[in-house]
Structure formats: structure tokens, C-alpha cells
Amino acid sequence: MIKFNVPYLTGNESKYISEVLQSRHLSGDGIFTKKCDSFFENKWVFAKCLLTTSCTDALEMAALLLEVKPGDEVIMPSYTFVSTSNAFALRGAKIIFADSSKDNPNIDAASIEALITPRTKAIVVVHYAGIACDMDIIMEIANKHKLFVVEDAAQAIDSYYKGKPLGSIGHLAAFSFHETKNVQCGEGGMLIINDTSFFKRAEIIREKGTNRSAFFRGEIDKYGWVDIGSSFLPSEILAAFLYAQLESIENTQKRRKEIWQQYYDALKPLEKKGIQLPYIPNYATNNGHMFYLVCNSLEERTGLTKVLKDNEIHAVFHYQSLHKSVFIKEQNYQVNELPYCEKYTDCLLRLPLYYELSNEQINFVSEQIINFCN
Ligand SMILES: Cc1ncc(COP(=O)(O)O)c(C=O)c1O
């Protein structure tokens, strides 16, 4: 079976985990957590980085930092993972869903302004497949209406918008290190804080609402409960694993992009048959996170998925439109028709893409797809 994903091990994970075990500092915020935070701060020049237990948690921290409350509205694409919306729904916000663009599943930036009301608090964008949303337009709208912008960069490590690293543009951003991501530690995430006014409170929210981080730095003589918060920091064992992955990022990215390109070159002729390949606008880069096809119909996607499965290839669809979810139906509010989101829900199919996928396997997968389409 050619699996959809096989998490890559760079070789140093167990060595660094052993170092943690020997150090007897197993809880969070030890040497390896700091190394991971610094790696991000140095490589992509983010203002402040805080390692978290998941991207979901980093998004929940973002909602807490923005003081989202019942009555607030938060605009985001409907074509996203439930964590993007759940983080804000947990604070009582009403989620206002925007459509995807025609060319790729990212939010249609031109549709955002019409969704803004006096209750709008924030715009959350998702850089789908690691490909940038049109951030200049989005930041301009946000600045004009004094709204916060959160980048859900779960899939977007080491990807860029007009030369700027994704995650560095909004007020806050969140990365994922789930095992399906380019750089992973099983489960993990990172909150990026670009707006300096959030620095102090972010540390407190991450440490169960206490000022323990300041205490550990010796800035205060005891710590206590100063705000709301939760336990958002991972153990050193996970941080050690993640650091091994980060050290190897150049190598990982190189291979993932090669695989992506090989798929792209092989499958390009299918565009003549109406199959949509990933579209990377001029302002964006590709980080080799995902290779997907958008079929002509749900039936075509179902047929293709079955043929691939019969050939022992695991290809998978992705998000279910959130505006049509059970949870949103139960909220009983009017949602707009979002035709492009629906299209990606029904027709998008993700192909196997992981470091150890061989060129022969990529050719085999591509051949099966081409045979099916012919
Ligand atoms: C766009 C997006 N946001 C958030 C998440 C949640 O990430 P995590 O599993 O690290 O919580 C995912 C998961 O893949 C995702 O695709």
C-alpha cells in the first residue's frame, strides 16, 4: 500500500530525547523548547514564538489574546479545519464564513469586506497547502476597519508571500507540527506573536494564567494567578523531537518540493480534461506540503479514489465545508452560499506526499490517475 502519509524521522530524534531523559527536566520550557523557539525567531525573524501542544491550542491562545467574546464576529474561510473556527466559537464568537477563491482553496480576499459589520473583531486566514493568501489586500482591509488578522499557518512552514515568511504578516499566527506536516513531532504547534503588545499576556495565558515564566526568569520572587489561561506548553520530550526535525528542514523541504514537482509535471496534461492542479500565484511560494487535484465532480473524485485504492494507493479528500456543519446548523443563523468552498469539499483529492516516497511510486500513482482520466 502506498500510504497517504508516513512521518519522516531525521535520525536525531531519539538522541535528543535521550538527552532530555538524562537531564531529568521533562516538563516544558527547558533547553529544547528554547532551541525550537529561537530556531523560528532566527530563521524566519518572527518577533516572538511560543511552542504549544498543537496548532489548535495556538489558535485558542490567539482567541484569548484578542479577547474575543460573545457578540463578536470573526471572518474566516469555510474551507478549513474545524480548529480554525472552534478556537473562536469557544469564546462565544459568531463565525462568518467566506468563500474560497476560484483558483485555489484560500479565502477569496475580494469577498471579505462585504462581510464586515460593526461586530467584526478579526479576520482569520488559512494558507491552504502552504500557499499564501493575498495578504496585502487582507491587511489593508483589516487596517482600514481596525481588525485583527490571525494567520492559520498550520501547513505553511517555510513558505512566503512577496518574500515575507508566512506567519510574520498578521498580528498573530499559528503553525502545526502534527505528524502530517513537513516538520512534525506527532502533535505540536507554535504561536507567533508579531504584535508586541501581546508578548506579556501570551506567556501568562500559556502558563495556566500565571506569571510563572517571569518567575523562572527571576523577574519576580513568586508567581500566582493573574489572568485566564490553560496548559498550552508541551513537554521537553516533544520539543527535543521537534528540534531534530527543524535542524533537518532544508533537506526535508528539498525532497518534498521535488516530489511535488514530479507530480505536477506528470499530471499537467490533465488540465485539458478539466482537472485543476494546485495554483501558486506570483506572490506566493510552494513549500511542498501538499499535492492535490480538483476533479470535475464528486462522482469523478469517488471513482478516482476507488481506482487508486484498488491499486493500493491511499489518496484522501480534505475539509467538509464548515458552513454546512452540524454545529453551525444548530446555531440557527443565515449562512451564505459558498460555491467554491463546496467545490473543494466535493472535488479536492490529496495524493500521497512524504519524504520517503520514491520516484517509482510517484510515477506509479501518476500513471494510475492518467489511466483513469483517459
Ligand atoms: C488549517 C488547519 N488549522 C489547524 C489545524 C490543527 O492543527 P493541530 O492538529 O496541530 O492542532 C489543522 C490540522 O491539520 C489545519 O489543517
Side-chain angles (χ1 to χ4, degrees), residues 18 21 24 78 118 138 143-144 200 276 296 307 337 360:
S18 302
L21 300 185
R24 302 295 169 109
S78 174
I138 292 161
N143 291 336
K144 182 172 154 199
K200 199 162 164 234
Q276 193 180 327
N296 289 289
V307 163
E337 286 299 312
E360 293 69 37

Side-chain angles (χ1 to χ4, degrees), residues 11-280:
N12 274 339
E13 287 83 354
S14 17
K15 178 171 161 247
Y16 291 161
I17 288 175
S18 302
E19 285 178 25
V20 172
L21 300 185
Q22 272 154 29
S23 78
R24 302 295 169 109
H25 177 136
L26 309 187
S27 60
D29 279 347
I31 289 167
F32 279 103
T33 302
K34 295 203 171 76
K35 280 183 176 215
C36 292
D37 292 348
S38 307
F39 188 95
F40 268 72
E41 284 163 4
N42 295 334
K43 182 162 172 66
W44 294 292
V45 201
F46 296 129
K48 187 174 175 75
C49 304
L50 291 174
L51 197 62
T52 58
T53 28
S54 63
C55 179
T56 303
D57 277 347
L59 290 164
E60 285 177 27
M61 284 185 68
L64 285 164
L65 281 169
L66 300 186
E67 297 183 81
V68 172
K69 56 182 186 319
D72 289 344
E73 294 179 357
V74 178
I75 298 170
M76 64 180 68
S78 174
Y79 194 73
T80 184
F81 194 61
V82 66
S83 297
T84 322
S85 54
N86 193 54
F88 297 88
L90 267 173
R91 313 306 321 151
K94 181 175 175 184
I95 310 298
I96 306 297
F97 292 109
D99 206 356
S100 296
S101 13
K102 178 171 175 280
D103 299 323
N104 69 27
N106 284 345
I107 193 164
D108 176 6
S111 75
I112 295 176
E113 200 155 20
L115 303 174
I116 294 173
T117 74
R119 292 176 295 282
T120 308
K121 181 99 188 205
I123 302 167
V124 185
V125 299
V126 179
H127 303 297
Y128 187 79
I131 296 165
C133 297
D134 199 344
M135 293 309 290
D136 279 352
I137 297 183
I138 292 161
M139 294 310 291
E140 197 184 309
I141 297 169
N143 291 336
K144 182 172 154 199
H145 295 273
K146 300 196 169 42
L147 304 175
F148 291 112
V149 173
V150 179
E151 296 177 69
D152 181 337
Q155 307 167 4
I157 193 167
D158 198 33
S159 207
Y160 300 81
Y161 172 79
K162 297 185 181 172
K164 290 183 211 160
L166 298 186
S168 70
I169 305 164
H171 299 84
L172 298 164
F175 286 98
S176 172
F177 309 122
H178 180 263
E179 70 161 41
T180 48
K181 303 302 185 289
N182 296 24
V183 165
Q184 56 89 25
C185 60
E187 302 276 358
M190 178 83 81
L191 177 72
I192 309 297
I193 306 142
N194 297 315
D195 182 331
T196 52
S197 66
F198 292 125
F199 279 13
K200 199 162 164 234
R201 197 161 171 250
E203 264 186 9
I204 290 170
I205 287 173
R206 180 166 167 273
E207 268 283 20
K208 300 98 181 160
T210 73
N211 48 1
R212 185 154 75 164
S213 301
F215 171 72
F216 283 149
R217 285 196 300 267
E219 291 163 17
I220 46 176
D221 58 6
K222 57 181 181 306
Y223 72 90
W225 188 17
V226 293
D227 202 336
I228 54 168
S230 193
S231 185
F232 290 120
L233 69 157
S235 100
E236 273 293 282
I237 299 170
L238 279 178
F241 187 109
L242 183 67
Y243 189 65
Q245 295 262 319
L246 286 171
E247 275 189 333
S248 201
I249 188 167
E250 301 294 333
N251 184 36
T252 312
Q253 293 296 81
K254 182 172 171 286
R255 178 63 191 145
R256 292 189 73 107
K257 287 186 210 171
E258 279 167 11
I259 297 172
W260 191 100
Q261 195 60 47
Q262 201 175 323
Y263 272 136
Y264 191 84
D265 295 343
L267 299 174
K268 184 97 179 109
L270 296 181
E271 283 182 330
K272 286 198 209 82
K273 296 188 179 287
I275 304 259
Q276 193 180 327
L277 265 54
Y279 169 70
I280 303 174

